[in-house]
Amino acid sequence: MASAWEERLKRQQAVLKEGRGHLIVIASYGTGGPEPTDAPYVIEGQTATMSEEFVRKHAYDLGVQNVVYGRRALEWLAAAGDDSLPGLYIDWGTGATASLFSGRDANFQEGTSYSTDTVVKRWDDIDKLRFDPENRWVKYELEFWRGVASAYAEGIALLPKLYRSPLDLANDLRGNRIFEDMVLEPEQVERLIERCTDMIIDADRFFHAQVPVIRQAPSGIWGVAVPGREMPGVNGDPVDLISAEMGERFNHPYIERLIQYGGGMYFHHHTLGASRFESVSRIRGLTVQQYTADPKCTRVYDVLDERWVAASHRATIDLWQNLFEAPDVDAALDIMSRGRFIVHVNAEKLQDVQAMVKRIRRAEERACSPV
């Protein structure tokens, strides 16, 4: 008999990989659940914010602690009756993520980190770029995963990293002048992004080889998961800052290369680029297009229509906007139940979440019933 987490994984698999069903439900309530990997941690009885020194000393402890949070979440999520699986990955900020490839220092600030300088100052510098397993940041991450492996519990999805997309990594290594370069020297930009794609594949292959538990666990992030390794994830924010046409030149082909390598893709970006939903959905082999809501930007529930439904049939759309905030919940469910969407439900009280999950299940049943 399948366990509760295996049943949730099957429900997600049906929508994400098999094209059956319409809605995946991710629920949260109160103040429980797992802590994000970029939060302060209590280690040795003291609360510490992130820094390279802290990571160097406590990477293994952080791996263990994240599994503890994941185990707690398995129990906490089961009560909601949703489809989610707790996920575990490393995110020590965009700067630390880029340093995995550059070896630079990172400037840690509250909740994130930033790169301290650009690397590609001349185009010849591209030729020096490579993934180096001896990079100290790689060693920190291996220590984290050793901690995870020592305490891992079945049902927790793992992702080696939410990588920066090839274009996003190129933006970090070159700086914001890359947006001028796209017009003035596009071939050099493409050469840089191609090298970034190579490095991401090399890094992911390395971590899968070095950390068996990553190969054995479901693959996923932020409650969404599939069996096996077929859903690497990337931060694709730059597509929201350029035209759809430029995204189709400087982003999509390189994401497709990563998909060919990994088997699927969870693509994160923001509602600043809500108008990119059709373009991103056409990335071949994409598993999930995820939207994080930005202040003062388009609220997806205000613009959902049949175009979004059509895009969701190409790649499931994960809307990080609380369904309780929809202007008309029933209207939103009616539209989403004709496509493939990941629906988020958040309330203070467990009973309110449970009631909304049942409401979503009824909408799903109506959508799946023969006319």
Side-chain angles (χ1 to χ4, degrees), residues 98-109:
S99 294
L100 189 69
F101 302 98
S102 69
R104 292 168 297 179
D105 293 340
N107 178 14
F108 279 85
Q109 298 184 20

Side-chain angles (χ1 to χ4, degrees), residues 225-303:
V226 298
R229 63 173 296 192
E230 295 188 354
M231 199 164 64
V234 300
N235 172 24
D237 291 358
V239 296
D240 302 332
L241 304 175
I242 57 179
S243 68
E245 293 75 17
M246 293 183 81
E248 287 159 13
R249 175 171 183 177
F250 296 109
N251 179 76
H252 297 10
Y254 308 97
I255 297 298
E256 289 173 357
R257 265 200 65 202
L258 293 178
I259 291 170
Q260 290 171 358
Y261 156 74
M265 174 62 65
Y266 186 99
F267 187 90
H268 155 81
H269 61 131
H270 289 252
T271 52
L272 176 66
S275 62
R276 303 292 182 266
F277 73 93
E278 288 181 301
S279 174
V280 171
S281 75
R282 292 192 173 91
I283 297 174
R284 289 189 297 267
L286 187 65
T287 312
V288 176
Q289 174 182 189
Q290 182 265 341
Y291 276 100
T292 293
D294 288 314
K296 300 181 181 180
C297 289
T298 299
R299 292 162 56 91
V300 176
Y301 284 130
D302 293 336
V303 297

Side-chain angles (χ1 to χ4, degrees), residues 43-176:
I43 300 289
E44 298 175 353
Q46 295 183 347
T47 300
T49 53
M50 301 297 286
S51 66
E52 182 175 352
E53 179 67 9
F54 181 70
V55 168
R56 185 184 65 79
K57 288 182 177 179
H58 294 297
Y60 184 96
D61 304 322
L62 295 176
V64 173
Q65 190 173 72
N66 270 263
V67 175
V68 171
Y69 291 144
R71 286 174 167 172
R72 186 184 305 161
L74 283 168
E75 302 174 3
W76 178 81
L77 294 169
D82 72 343
D83 303 319
S84 64
L85 264 70
L88 196 162
Y89 68 104
I90 295 176
D91 182 6
W92 296 331
T94 57
T97 300
S99 294
L100 189 69
F101 302 98
S102 69
R104 292 168 297 179
D105 293 340
N107 178 14
F108 279 85
Q109 298 184 20
E110 184 176 357
T112 191
S113 64
Y114 302 95
S115 295
T116 55
D117 194 8
T118 58
V119 170
V120 180
K121 301 181 185 302
R122 300 179 305 172
W123 294 119
D124 288 348
D125 293 332
I126 295 174
D127 300 325
K128 304 172 188 176
L129 296 174
R130 65 186 182 92
F131 171 70
D132 179 8
E134 297 302 314
N135 178 341
R136 69 186 191 277
W137 293 95
V138 174
K139 294 180 178 180
Y140 302 154
E141 300 209 358
L142 285 176
E143 276 300 295
F144 176 92
W145 288 113
R146 291 185 183 108
V148 170
S150 74
Y152 181 72
E154 287 189 336
I156 301 174
L158 302 181
L159 201 67
K161 197 162 194 68
L162 179 66
Y163 293 105
R164 302 183 70 166
S165 70
L167 175 56
D168 194 37
L169 180 56
N171 182 192
D172 186 287
L173 300 178
R174 177 65 172 165
N176 286 338

Side-chain angles (χ1 to χ4, degrees), residues 8-19 225-227:
R8 294 200 294 275
L9 188 63
K10 286 181 181 178
R11 291 198 296 269
Q12 293 204 37
Q13 170 84 351
V15 176
L16 297 176
K17 303 295 286 186
E18 299 167 12
V226 298

